[in-house]
Amino acid sequence: VQLQASGGGLVQAGDSLRLSCAASGRTLSGYSVAWFRQAPGKDREFVAAIKRAGDSTYYGDSVKGRFTISRDNAKSTVYLQMNSLKREDTAVYYCAADRSLITSSIAYADHYDYWGQGTQVTVSS
């Protein structure tokens, strides 16, 4: 499956942004999908994940209550709604997918087999 992340941009602190992760080649319905982000000079950080059926979601501590992950399997797309953006949310955001992810591994980048190219999110104060 090929993943295409989009929706990044330059926004001000407090603004909202919605990222999309669209799949091609195969339907995304059979995959758990996550968003990770990486800021310059920092390690890749888990942001959010959603299981295949969409009934379970998981969030990194730094985004809980502000970000929401959702999916539309009919469109083979996963979304990341980001509200109340902060300067520290500035990073390249990547979506990733895996067919056989277990809950205990969902926050670990090494467990994902498929990655999109990343989309830049810049939050100015």
Side-chain angles (χ1 to χ4, degrees), residues 17-125:
L17 207 57
R18 189 176 80 160
L19 305 183
S20 298
C21 177
S24 61
R26 283 195 167 190
T27 177
L28 206 53
S29 62
Y31 296 80
S32 296
V33 178
W35 288 94
F36 291 82
R37 67 186 182 186
Q38 189 164 21
K42 294 189 175 181
D43 292 335
R44 193 163 293 192
E45 177 189 12
F46 171 73
V47 176
I50 187 166
K51 286 288 195 76
R52 288 180 290 184
D55 54 345
S56 298
T57 56
Y58 308 84
Y59 296 94
D61 289 341
S62 61
V63 305
K64 279 180 184 175
R66 299 188 298 122
F67 290 12
T68 303
I69 190 170
S70 62
R71 67 190 302 156
D72 185 339
N73 284 338
K75 295 183 178 180
S76 279
T77 302
V78 170
Y79 304 99
L80 184 68
Q81 177 67 42
M82 306 186 294
N83 298 330
S84 303
L85 282 162
K86 305 175 181 179
R87 282 193 65 184
E88 50 264 43
D89 294 319
T90 295
V92 177
Y93 284 70
Y94 300 89
C95 59
D98 195 271
R99 289 186 64 88
S100 58
L101 208 62
I102 59 175
T103 302
S104 60
S105 301
I106 208 157
Y108 296 93
D110 289 349
H111 289 268
Y112 289 83
D113 290 335
Y114 306 97
W115 289 82
Q117 85 291 356
T119 184
Q120 175 71 46
V121 173
T122 304
V123 184
S124 64
S125 58

